[in-house]
């Protein structure tokens, strides 16, 4: 199809709508409906089960903010795991940190990787890097089988529906803690406070039971519901707000800055209330 | 009409869409098309020329962030001017500051005031307060006729189309400077950096020529384009990032906090670049 408008209903009563120049691919994979389209506003865009996942124009926000906040918090991240994230954007940012010797991507749906490589090359381009190991596998199972292995784990999942439902469970966070080394850090995307306040509260409560340092930070993602996205960070030892200034090496970004590293944790009052 | 969907095209190729339970009022005023509707997601909502102006559910963000940042920056704001803002939301926030003896609202379109009072009473409810003077008049002319009169001026306008086009001109900023006292502060909403980067750059350049302290800050407004809104602050003497801690008196808010007062000025890199 060509030249039509696509609407994502972000809630029952509200959504975004955008002009699609042409559909690039549509497929029901083993896990979800995958659609890739060329949009007039955002460049090529990936949808899973009808929800915007990433676009060429605004992808940098999500990928930078998932990756750089925990990686600059950890004093020497060498081994990193990305759960989900088959588009490769988080991996691309992870590799900007010279300390990282190995970045493992565990994506359940190989089709996401395949079509991201084809239609989102600027995002997926580092998946072939020699420091990267790509596994098409169940992230929940991978976590369950890992112990004392990773410095940083990033959960780049869809919303808690379909294949991602296990990735928002207390058992998963306990598994992450076990898979992390003794000073490990994890971060997960945890949706938005306008429409999913309950989810944020639940995740904060669950993560706090497992990680002594649990904090929420935000970023503006214009193609995601409400434009205000949250990330939950759980850490065993290192506080993201107590990072030595000299740790912030130069890095090429479009959203993240070392000043924003801290400011992103300063929450609007109604969001802060969800964490208490 | 009842039970339909309304779409605001925020750009030629992108927009938001929402379920309207019922239209409350539609009128072509002397200045613009005014629509008031009960939405299923956001409560009652005011539209001018087809653009979302404010809603019951998310109005607090805009109104708090316009008002409290300059009012806490000024050591003793007594006389305040709001240009535009006929819904009364900024005035409501201004009155939370006990130092303010008089708040003048100059709104060009009396119909905005009339229908906000009727359908947005929680927002417009303080327009009758004895500390408030409401003038239905041209804000540009009011500014031109004022000299050394106000401590803080807030420009709560629509986008630079229709009646607001003069409110984004260098002549207007010069007039504001003259209308302010020698240590006055002004703030204006200056749209979003995703779709209106040029506008932000132009305003920053123009305001910098007139005000020695010019800064940009942001807030998340989910019903506005991109969800990331900017405000340009111009100040003759007082720096919003150099506010004495004891100045922050207790205030009842849902978005603004004294920590966010500073954090809101920490910009994503691509936004910071627009100010340099």
């Amino acid at each position: 199809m060509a030249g039509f408008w696509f609407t994502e209903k972000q809630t029952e009563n509200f959504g975004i709508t955008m002009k699609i120049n042409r559909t690039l691919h549509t497929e029901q994979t083993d896990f979800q409906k995958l659609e890739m389209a060329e949009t007039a506003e955002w460049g090529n865009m990936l949808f899973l089960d009808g929800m915007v996942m990433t676009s060429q124009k605004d992808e940098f926000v999500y990928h930078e903010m998932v990756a750089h906040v925990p990686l600059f918090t950890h004093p020497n991240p060498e081994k990193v795991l990305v759960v989900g994230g088959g588009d490769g954007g988080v991996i691309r940012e992870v590799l900007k940190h010279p300390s990282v010797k190995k970045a493992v991507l565990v994506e359940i749906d190989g089709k996401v990787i395949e079509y991201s490589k084809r239609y989102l090359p600027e995002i997926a381009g580092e998946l072939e890097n020699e420091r990267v190991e790509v596994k098409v596998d169940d992230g929940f199972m991978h976590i369950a089988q890992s112990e004392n292995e990773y410095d940083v784990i990033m959960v780049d999942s869809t919303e808690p529906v379909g294949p991602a439902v296990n990735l928002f469970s207390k058992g998963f966070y306990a598994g992450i803690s076990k898979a992390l080394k003794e000073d490990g850090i994890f971060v997960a995307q945890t949706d938005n406070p306008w429409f999913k306040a309950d989810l944020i509260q639940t995740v904060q409560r669950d993560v706090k039971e497992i990680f002594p340092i649990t904090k929420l930070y935000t970023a503006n993602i214009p193609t995601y519901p409400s434009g205000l996205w949250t990330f939950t960070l759980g850490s065993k030892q290192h506080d993201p707000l107590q990072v030595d200034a000299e740790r912030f090496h130069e890095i090429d970004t479009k959203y993240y800055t070392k000043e924003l590293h801290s400011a992103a944790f300063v929450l609007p009052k109604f969001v802060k209330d969800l964490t208490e």
Side-chain angles (χ1 to χ4, degrees), chain A:
Chain A
M1 275 182 85
F4 64 100
W5 283 68
F6 169 79
T7 296
E8 178 189 340
K9 283 179 66 175
Q10 298 174 329
T11 75
E12 197 182 341
N13 300 309
F14 185 74
I16 57 173
T17 186
M18 67 190 93
K19 189 174 176 191
I20 306 289
N21 293 335
R22 60 195 180 109
T23 300
L24 300 168
H25 186 75
T26 304
E27 177 172 351
Q28 183 68 45
T29 75
D30 290 344
F31 302 97
Q32 53 210 341
K33 186 176 182 192
L34 184 158
E35 294 167 289
M36 191 74 75
E38 181 192 303
T39 73
E41 186 67 51
W42 302 102
N44 289 354
M45 189 176 248
L46 169 66
F47 303 84
L48 294 177
D49 288 336
M51 292 180 285
V52 175
M53 287 297 113
T54 197
S55 85
Q56 289 178 311
K57 190 167 162 187
D58 78 336
E59 56 90 8
F60 65 92
V61 183
Y62 181 91
H63 296 136
E64 291 180 11
M65 291 302 281
V66 167
H68 301 310
V69 174
L71 287 171
F72 276 115
T73 299
H74 195 288
N76 186 35
E78 294 186 342
K79 190 163 185 186
V80 173
L81 172 66
V82 178
V83 176
D87 57 59
V90 175
I91 286 287
R92 182 195 63 202
E93 296 303 314
V94 167
L95 295 183
K96 292 179 179 174
H97 292 257
S99 69
V100 174
K101 294 174 178 163
K102 186 165 193 183
V104 179
L105 178 86
V106 180
E107 162 65 55
I108 200 168
D109 192 341
K111 296 288 187 181
V112 172
I113 299 171
E114 179 181 348
Y115 288 99
S116 297
K117 283 183 176 176
R118 187 171 307 178
Y119 293 113
L120 304 170
E122 315 83 351
I123 303 177
E126 294 296 329
L127 288 174
E128 308 285 347
N129 190 294
E130 60 183 9
R131 288 192 282 158
V132 178
E133 179 183 354
V134 176
K135 294 184 178 184
V136 177
D137 205 348
D138 181 337
F140 190 88
M141 291 304 295
H142 182 89
I143 288 286
Q145 291 157 6
S146 303
E147 194 167 337
N148 193 31
E149 188 167 351
Y150 295 104
D151 296 303
V152 176
I153 295 176
M154 297 149 181
V155 183
D156 176 9
S157 70
T158 59
E159 287 191 69
V161 292
V165 71
N166 285 330
L167 306 185
F168 287 82
S169 65
K170 209 187 296 189
F172 183 59
Y173 304 132
I176 283 176
S177 179
K178 184 174 65 64
L180 285 169
K181 293 180 184 161
E182 65 180 6
D183 67 343
I185 303 172
F186 106 99
V187 66
Q189 73 83 8
T190 43
D191 221 303
N192 82 88
W194 289 94
F195 307 136
K196 296 290 180 66
D198 290 350
L199 173 71
I200 293 171
Q201 282 187 301
T202 301
V203 172
Q204 281 282 312
R205 193 188 57 220
D206 291 349
V207 174
K208 275 180 185 171
E209 286 185 21
I210 295 166
F211 288 87
I213 299 167
T214 299
K215 292 196 153 72
L216 193 75
Y217 65 97
T218 71
N220 161 249
I221 302 177
T223 58
Y224 280 9
S226 89
L228 184 65
W229 213 247
T230 74
F231 303 88
T232 295
L233 181 146
S235 179
K236 294 183 179 182
Q237 296 182 14
H238 305 293
D239 188 333
L241 299 180
Q242 304 286 338
V243 178
D244 291 344
E246 75 258 26
R247 181 99 44 81
F248 292 103
H249 56 81
E250 279 296 308
I251 193 166
D252 180 32
T253 59
K254 288 190 273 189
Y255 192 92
Y256 177 92
T257 69
K258 65 179 192 287
E259 294 79 17
L260 204 65
H261 177 105
S262 301
F265 289 90
V266 181
L267 305 172
K269 182 162 191 311
F270 80 105
V271 183
K272 187 163 176 270
D273 289 346
L274 300 177
T275 69
E276 286 166 355

